[in-house]
């Protein structure tokens, strides 16, 4: 699977090993209680932000160059388009969330990127 973020093809550098887009974003139901009444009353819901974790692998003789290239591609100041090759006509507005680590053994690196989508749809 190929991934494009902010117009850059991340798959030039990484091989995606796992993506979890889920079915729906986390749903937060609102309820309230009234004294002396059993149970709760339902008052609607909201969807929280969506997190899309992407696990990847890199096989390259120069992992330092790949790390620098990926850092440049992922360093955005505002949400940007995130597109997966199996849904090329659909995109999420996303930003990388948390830290993006790269574990290295010789010429192989593994890591993960959590993309935060403020608007989950």
């Amino acid at each position: 699977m190929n991934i494009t973020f902010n117009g850059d093809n991340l798959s030039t550098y990484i091989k995606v090993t796992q993506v979890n887009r889920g079915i729906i974003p986390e749903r937060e139901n609102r309820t309230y209680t009234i004294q002396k009444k059993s149970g709760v009353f339902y008052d609607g819901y909201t969807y929280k932000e969506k997190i899309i974790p992407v696990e990847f692998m890199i096989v390259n003789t120069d992992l330092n160059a790949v790390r620098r290239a990926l850092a440049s591609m992922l360093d955005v100041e505002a949400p940007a388009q995130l597109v997966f090759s199996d849904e090329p006509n659909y995109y999420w507005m996303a930003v990388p969330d948390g830290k993006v680590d790269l574990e290295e053994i010789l010429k192989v690196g593994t890591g993960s990127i959590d993309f935060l989508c403020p608007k989950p749809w």
Side-chain angles (χ1 to χ4, degrees):
M1 173 183 304
N2 291 330
I3 296 179
T4 303
F5 178 65
N6 196 31
D8 293 317
N9 185 355
L10 299 181
S11 300
T12 302
Y13 298 98
I14 66 173
K15 176 178 175 39
V16 175
T17 57
Q18 185 173 351
V19 175
N20 183 354
R21 287 172 275 185
I23 295 173
I24 63 173
E26 184 178 345
R27 180 178 166 140
E28 186 174 288
N29 293 308
R30 293 185 304 269
T31 61
Y32 62 93
T33 58
I34 297 178
Q35 285 186 348
K36 299 183 182 180
K37 295 282 185 182
S38 297
V40 297
F41 292 90
Y42 182 74
D43 191 32
Y45 66 93
T46 58
Y47 285 112
K48 292 187 168 195
E49 71 278 3
K50 184 178 193 76
I51 303 291
I52 301 175
V54 174
E55 294 181 23
F56 63 88
M57 181 172 59
I58 300 169
V59 178
N60 194 300
T61 56
D62 191 355
L63 289 177
N64 291 324
V66 172
R67 183 187 309 105
R68 286 188 293 277
L70 288 173
S72 176
M73 292 176 176
L74 295 172
D75 187 24
V76 295
E77 294 187 16
Q81 287 189 5
L82 175 65
V83 180
F84 296 94
S85 61
D86 64 343
E87 288 186 295
N89 297 323
Y90 187 83
Y91 66 87
W92 283 270
M93 295 304 291
V95 294
D97 191 36
K99 64 182 187 175
V100 180
D101 280 337
L102 181 63
E103 294 181 31
E104 303 174 38
I105 300 175
L106 299 174
K107 300 176 190 177
V108 177
T110 60
S112 66
I113 306 166
D114 286 340
F115 285 100
L116 168 75
C117 307
K119 295 185 179 178
W121 297 107

